[in-house]
Amino acid sequence: MRTQVAIIGAGPSGLLLGQLLHQAGIDNVILERQSGDYVLGRIRAGILEQVTVDLLREAGVGAGVAAGGTVHHSIELVFGGARHPIDVHGLTGGRVVTAYGQTEVTHDLMQARRAAGLATVYEAADVTPLDFDGDRPRVSYRKDGSAHVLECDFIAGCDGFHGVSRKAVKEHVSEYEKVYPFGWLGVLADVPPVSPHAIVYGNSERGFSLCSMRSLTRSRYYVQCPLDDKVDDWSDQRFWDELRRRLDPDLAGRIVTGPSIEKSIAPLRSFVAEPMRFGRLFLAGDAAHIVPPTGAKGLNLAATDVKYLSSAMIEFFSERSPAGIDHYSQVCLKRVWKAERFSWWLTSLMHRFPDTDGFAQKVQEAELDYLVHSKAASTALAENYVGLPL
Ligand code: FAS
Ligand code: PHB
């Protein structure tokens, strides 16, 4: 089989890249290790920057987020028993974020890909990128016990943090990593969100908490938990009680509880692999970088990687110009590192660290107090939260 671009991974990065390339008349095939249902079953991101919403529209899948997304003009920080609004819209000259789940984004992209009759090989085993240091790259894989080779012009490694693409170039990659000494216990429940128009980030002496949503009838909540906690340690009742303890009394009193439909613990890390291009192989999204979810940047960074990569490939195929692909890694990493900094900063500010001494705790409290009372500091938070300009 032959295609112009072989895409490894059918998460948001791979599906969005496939859609943008298809819109430009560039043939592509996606090879995905899991089943489509398995990919859709993963509960992950929930907040889209405007750049991402615009990209979904450009990819021809903007209808879902336009109909089902909830626009947020502000966020709220809860600490010291009080809630502090940050007017993101006002501080950034009218920019906003949209609450719309990664699951829904993935569903919309899958539906568009199916409707366009594009090739996606689910449950592809032993996917292996080959010969990408020359101009005739290939990807081998197994499907239903048979061996296959996909010949192509480019390979896009959109296979996430645990994928095969970065592993294929491990001797050429510089890795930068920070692992955090806690995780996030997340609960999804079909109850109305306690704060439908502002994501609430809490820092209490018991730890971090987050009140988010997927729709006006489905909520997403998180509490910081020790890394050695297990999901089975947390009954729904224990989760709701702990979440309430970490919020201000007014908000705690308004939480609508209900049975969890998903409950999971995610570890937090900051990670960057440099560079992101190796001959005809390109890394995009979580295959190249990971951020702690505090800044809601993971999915959005994946989207902007894909914006840069699709533009570079379209330029190559339409003008035979290598300029975009030659600058891909450098352009992406400039944006990636700014998102890594912001996500590390907000994580450091909003979580309780087991090894924090008295002085560091006082400094954290002073920084929170300064942040919500300084227009300059709030503006810096707001402009990073809505996403820096491309
Ligand atoms: P993905 O990991 O989503 O997709 C990679 C795809 O490649 C998967 O479908 C995988 O099955 C496939 N694959 C892997 N190896 C393969 C192989 N060898 N062959 C073929 N296919 C292979 N971001 C936020 O902004 N907010 C959040 O709250 C948030 N929560 C998260 C919680 C968890 C548990 C995780 C893991 C991530 C979270 N993220 C969050 C980040 C997340 O949203 C990612 O940024 C986003 O999924 C990135 O998309 P992809 O780059 O497509 O990677
Ligand atoms: C989510 O809705 O899952 C979410 C929202 C904001 C974040 C992280 C996750 O910072």
Side-chain angles (χ1 to χ4, degrees), residues 44-47 184 199 201 210 212-214 220 222 293-296 385:
R44 290 190 172 168
I47 296 299
W184 278 18
I199 304 294
Y201 293 83
L210 172 60
S212 184
M213 60 187 287
R214 291 295 177 268
R220 180 68 167 166
Y222 299 90
T294 323
Y385 195 79

Side-chain angles (χ1 to χ4, degrees), residues 12-13 16 20 45-62 65 95-98 100-102 105 109 296-307 335 385-388 390:
S13 296
L16 180 57
L20 289 169
I47 296 299
L48 306 183
E49 296 174 358
Q50 191 57 45
V51 167
T52 304
V53 173
D54 295 345
L55 267 176
L56 291 174
R57 192 180 311 115
E58 187 183 326
V61 296
V65 62
R95 301 177 67 203
V96 294
V97 293
T98 301
Y100 189 67
Q102 175 170 325
V105 170
L109 286 165
K297 291 297 161 209
L299 178 54
N300 293 297
L301 267 186
T304 44
D305 285 355
V306 163
K307 168 70 180 168
R335 185 178 183 84
Y385 195 79
V386 298
L388 298 176
L390 278 177

Side-chain angles (χ1 to χ4, degrees), residues 57-304:
R57 192 180 311 115
E58 187 183 326
V61 296
V65 62
T70 307
V71 172
H72 286 181
H73 286 207
S74 65
I75 63 175
E76 294 190 339
L77 304 186
V78 178
F79 58 90
R83 225 158 54 243
H84 304 269
I86 303 281
D87 174 16
V88 162
H89 181 267
L91 290 166
T92 61
R95 301 177 67 203
V96 294
V97 293
T98 301
Y100 189 67
Q102 175 170 325
T103 306
E104 288 69 31
V105 170
T106 305
H107 170 269
D108 297 346
L109 286 165
M110 278 180 172
Q111 197 172 45
R113 187 166 182 86
R114 220 177 5 256
L118 301 180
T120 307
V121 181
Y122 285 104
E123 297 176 300
D126 305 330
V127 176
T128 309
L130 299 166
D131 301 338
F132 44 82
D133 46 4
D135 58 4
R136 298 170 64 83
R138 301 172 299 141
V139 182
S140 64
Y141 66 96
R142 299 183 61 76
K143 173 68 178 172
D144 300 335
S146 303
H148 299 267
V149 173
L150 178 61
E151 298 185 352
C152 53
D153 296 310
F154 294 118
I155 304 171
C158 299
D159 46 350
F161 184 67
H162 300 290
V164 68
S165 299
R166 194 179 67 250
K167 291 191 183 83
V169 290
K170 63 178 179 294
E171 65 274 17
H172 303 298
V173 163
S174 300
E175 296 187 351
Y176 304 85
E177 184 169 45
K178 180 179 185 53
V179 177
Y180 297 86
F182 41 72
W184 278 18
L185 168 65
V187 158
L188 192 67
D190 280 333
V191 294
V194 71
S195 175
H197 295 292
I199 304 294
V200 180
Y201 293 83
N203 176 341
S204 82
E205 69 283 350
R206 300 179 68 90
F208 171 81
S209 59
L210 172 60
C211 302
S212 184
M213 60 187 287
R214 291 295 177 268
S215 70
L216 296 177
T217 59
R218 178 167 286 190
S219 298
R220 180 68 167 166
Y221 293 107
Y222 299 90
V223 295
Q224 171 186 348
C225 67
L227 271 178
D228 54 4
D229 268 12
K230 302 285 178 287
V231 174
D232 293 345
D233 300 337
W234 287 84
S235 68
D236 286 0
Q237 191 55 53
R238 181 186 173 197
F239 176 84
W240 294 120
D241 292 345
E242 186 59 36
L243 177 66
R244 285 198 181 97
R245 287 192 196 100
R246 299 190 186 191
L247 299 171
D248 63 289
D250 167 55
L251 207 58
R254 290 191 284 114
I255 293 266
V256 178
T257 66
S260 59
I261 57 175
E262 192 271 352
K263 195 185 312 180
S264 54
I265 294 178
L268 272 64
R269 83 176 70 236
S270 300
F271 174 87
V272 179
E274 291 189 5
M276 291 171 58
R277 182 255 177 123
F278 308 84
R280 293 289 181 110
L281 170 65
F282 299 81
L283 303 181
D286 278 18
H289 41 72
I290 296 285
V291 284
T294 323
K297 291 297 161 209
L299 178 54
N300 293 297
L301 267 186
T304 44

Side-chain angles (χ1 to χ4, degrees), residues 295-371:
K297 291 297 161 209
L299 178 54
N300 293 297
L301 267 186
T304 44
D305 285 355
V306 163
K307 168 70 180 168
Y308 293 134
L309 185 54
S310 58
S311 303
M313 288 180 168
I314 292 165
E315 179 192 60
F316 178 85
F317 286 114
S318 58
E319 300 163 28
R320 305 312 293 179
S321 159
I325 57 175
D326 289 346
H327 289 93
Y328 167 72
S329 180
Q330 175 193 346
V331 167
C332 280
L333 287 168
K334 245 171 100 68
R335 185 178 183 84
V336 164
W337 275 110
K338 290 193 183 91
E340 290 283 348
R341 181 211 65 83
F342 172 68
S343 304
W344 160 82
W345 170 77
L346 195 56
T347 301
S348 307
L349 184 64
M350 297 307 294
H351 290 74
R352 294 296 167 110
F353 287 70
D355 58 354
T356 292
D357 62 26
F359 178 81
Q361 190 49 48
K362 284 292 187 186
V363 166
Q364 188 188 66
E365 289 162 15
E367 182 162 9
L368 281 165
D369 184 39
Y370 167 66
L371 175 59

